Amino acid sequence: MAEPVDSEKQPAPAPDGNRPSLSLHVPEPKYRPGDTVDFSDIDIGTPGGQLRPDESAHPSQMGELAYSLIRVLGDDNQAHGPWNPRLDPETLRKMLGHMAMVRAFDERMFRGQRQGKTSFYMKCTGEEATSIAPAMALASDDMVFPSYRQQGILIARGYPLIEMINQIYSNKADKLKGRQLPIMYSSREHGFFSISGNLATQTPQAVGWAMASAIKGDSRIAATWVGEGSTAEGDFHSACTFAAVYNAPVILNVINNQWAISSFSGFAGAERTTFAARGLGYGIAALRVDGNDALACFAAAQWAANRARANQGPTLIEYFTYRAEGHSTSDDPSGYRSAQEREEWPLGDPVTRLKAHLIAIGEWDEERHAAMDLECAELVKATTKEAEKNGILGHGLHHPFHTMFEDVYEELPWHLEEQADQAIRERLAKFGTERPFG
């Protein structure tokens, strides 16, 4: 009887004839922990050096914009070129204020997670301009389908901070009743679709909503945000196909912040081409933008919104930026990337750049900026203390236990009612009055 073959001990088959052996390419980031970082190979272009085509231009005419980088703010802190949105100083100060508020909010919530007040949080440090500037370029009733790092949209749209904190704490005042992971907000009143932890699901939803708006003859458009890694998901490509085929009035925002939780953008295809170039392949207008330049972000979003409203179809915008901190409170980026990257990133910090621009045009100063930062921090602190009265992680004060069975059916079926009653009896028998239901 022949012995079984051990496949691990068998030599690899020789190539046929004179054909060379194949090899598999596995993407590898240029810098790992401890490495010296040099971003000089990144072509960031010249501020103001990119042409601004008409908003009705055919996608085939804007190939260069998918490979270059639309920039407005220069090293002289002035606005340059045809993409300059020429915003008035008050609007610029409002934009800066929103970004300062997001930073203050992020810092307080991050500390709250470390103190055990919530289970999870995600900061957007370095990416504030990619959500706040586009949100300000959209109409207030346009529908947005965000990912999990767009808290700036809610802040720009005036959503109450206390409601955001209640949701993060999953307390008795949480409007989502503790059914969502912290930071996965939802607000119908503010045109903010429910955030999903499943990557890229929001893209076909946004396209479908935009198609419905077009079918009804409405005037509202949709915008969605995904990370560059999510563009490797099938949902993203389905969304692009539907958007192109049906000329949907939608903006597909891709936040290329260089890193997923531990893998770099090369695993999503960044080594081969830009993410904006994916739009061209579908026949979608595509722009690649300096994501740390708030003016460029606003201008690109405004251009895309005007295009959609004029029935000229979808636009894909790649915001080229950098995730300055960890992916979430569950992540330690020092384990997979060089600590020097944040400081060496050639496009700087969006808050610092917008502040410097306002100072350069005589509409801001360091004293007012410091006062604004303090005001934001104090407001977030006071709001957090108010929200904590509604409960924090591990201290009860949640929604009544029975609500976990509700809001699926208009009327609770008898079998779920029985399960709810049984669950409450068992909970009471186990915990007595030591752990409240509500």
Side-chain angles (χ1 to χ4, degrees):
M1 182 175 179
E3 294 184 5
V5 176
D6 186 345
S7 59
E8 294 184 0
K9 295 181 180 179
Q10 300 304 306
D16 294 335
N18 294 321
R19 288 182 293 179
S21 299
L22 298 175
S23 62
L24 179 68
H25 171 68
V26 178
E28 181 68 25
K30 293 182 179 180
Y31 310 110
R32 286 296 194 183
D35 289 346
T36 299
V37 175
D38 180 8
F39 284 128
S40 60
D41 62 310
I42 297 179
D43 182 8
I44 60 175
T46 303
Q50 298 74 39
L51 295 177
R52 185 183 186 278
D54 186 82
E55 290 155 356
S56 63
H58 192 273
S60 63
Q61 301 175 21
M62 56 187 68
E64 180 183 346
L65 293 174
Y67 294 97
S68 59
L69 200 63
I70 296 172
R71 301 180 62 195
V72 173
L73 291 174
D75 293 338
D76 58 357
N77 299 319
Q78 298 291 339
H80 300 273
W83 285 95
N84 178 8
R86 304 187 184 282
L87 299 175
D88 62 87
E90 186 56 36
T91 300
L92 293 175
R93 284 190 289 266
K94 184 177 180 180
M95 187 181 294
L96 183 65
H98 289 327
M99 291 201 284
M101 181 60 73
V102 170
R103 290 222 165 156
F105 185 80
D106 275 0
E107 186 58 36
R108 173 64 60 171
M109 293 300 99
F110 180 88
R111 293 209 309 269
Q113 191 278 335
R114 291 299 192 245
Q115 293 166 353
K117 296 177 180 179
T118 184
S119 60
F120 184 79
Y121 191 73
M122 299 182 81
K123 300 174 78 172
C124 65
T125 309
E127 302 176 39
E128 293 89 351
T130 65
S131 58
I132 290 170
M136 293 180 66
L138 294 170
S140 61
D141 59 350
D142 288 334
M143 192 68 184
V144 299
F145 294 76
S147 184
Y148 40 61
R149 220 183 295 275
Q150 275 73 57
Q151 52 265 53
I153 298 175
L154 282 176
I155 287 176
R157 288 193 164 187
Y159 189 69
L161 290 179
I162 193 167
E163 300 295 353
M164 297 175 72
I165 301 171
N166 285 333
Q167 195 280 327
I168 291 168
Y169 286 166
S170 301
N171 59 30
K172 68 177 184 179
D174 173 17
K175 289 186 174 181
L176 303 186
K177 301 183 180 180
R179 295 167 179 163
Q180 273 278 37
L181 187 72
I183 62 86
M184 293 188 178
Y185 321 99
S186 176
S187 176
R188 180 190 295 269
E189 298 78 12
H190 294 78
F192 192 92
F193 195 79
S194 300
I195 297 174
S196 171
N198 297 319
L199 299 182
T201 57
Q202 68 270 27
T203 49
Q205 293 163 349
V207 173
W209 191 97
M211 290 169 59
S213 185
I215 290 169
K216 293 187 296 184
D218 202 343
S219 62
R220 295 178 295 167
I221 66 172
T224 184
W225 282 253
V226 292
E228 86 285 346
S230 294
T231 65
E233 294 284 337
D235 281 358
F236 175 81
H237 295 278
S238 296
C240 288
T241 298
F242 273 82
V245 169
Y246 293 101
N247 208 45
V250 64
I251 306 172
L252 303 166
N253 298 299
V254 176
I255 311 301
N256 179 8
N257 65 13
Q258 314 307 312
W259 287 94
I261 191 166
S262 59
S263 61
F264 82 120
S265 57
F267 281 101
E271 290 183 334
R272 302 290 180 176
T273 187
T274 67
F275 291 98
R278 295 189 174 182
L280 298 181
Y282 286 98
I284 294 175
L287 307 174
R288 188 166 178 261
V289 182
D290 176 355
N292 289 17
D293 180 342
L295 271 64
C297 293
F298 182 96
Q302 184 183 57
W303 185 93
N306 290 342
R307 180 182 179 86
R309 261 183 255 283
N311 284 312
Q312 296 299 319
T315 302
L316 190 155
I317 305 176
E318 174 190 348
Y319 294 96
F320 193 65
T321 182
Y322 186 79
R323 172 167 60 76
E325 299 204 21
H327 181 267
S328 69
T329 49
S330 302
D331 179 37
D332 178 11
S334 67
Y336 56 81
R337 70 184 188 188
S338 173
Q340 292 184 340
E341 286 194 9
R342 176 176 179 173
E343 301 302 324
E344 294 297 327
W345 183 244
L347 296 173
D349 175 87
V351 177
T352 301
R353 289 176 66 185
L354 183 56
K355 178 185 78 169
H357 172 60
L358 276 164
I359 292 175
I361 62 175
E363 295 290 345
W364 200 238
D365 53 59
E366 294 288 356
E367 290 74 20
R368 277 189 284 179
H369 192 84
M372 178 184 67
D373 281 344
L374 179 60
E375 181 180 359
C376 289
E378 290 299 323
L379 176 59
V380 174
K381 180 180 178 181
T383 307
T384 301
K385 289 185 177 299
E386 191 65 26
E388 288 176 358
K389 296 177 183 178
N390 298 317
I392 60 175
L393 181 68
H395 291 100
L397 297 178
H398 303 297
H399 278 273
F401 187 67
H402 191 276
T403 61
M404 70 180 292
F405 296 89
E406 300 171 353
D407 299 329
V408 174
Y409 299 95
E410 184 175 2
E411 294 184 10
L412 199 64
W414 65 269
H415 64 287
L416 288 184
E417 191 67 65
E418 284 189 356
Q419 290 178 33
D421 291 341
Q422 180 182 352
I424 292 174
R425 287 196 304 272
E426 292 178 358
R427 183 178 171 92
L428 183 61
K430 183 175 181 179
F431 300 114
T433 58
E434 295 302 315
R435 296 189 182 185
F437 301 146

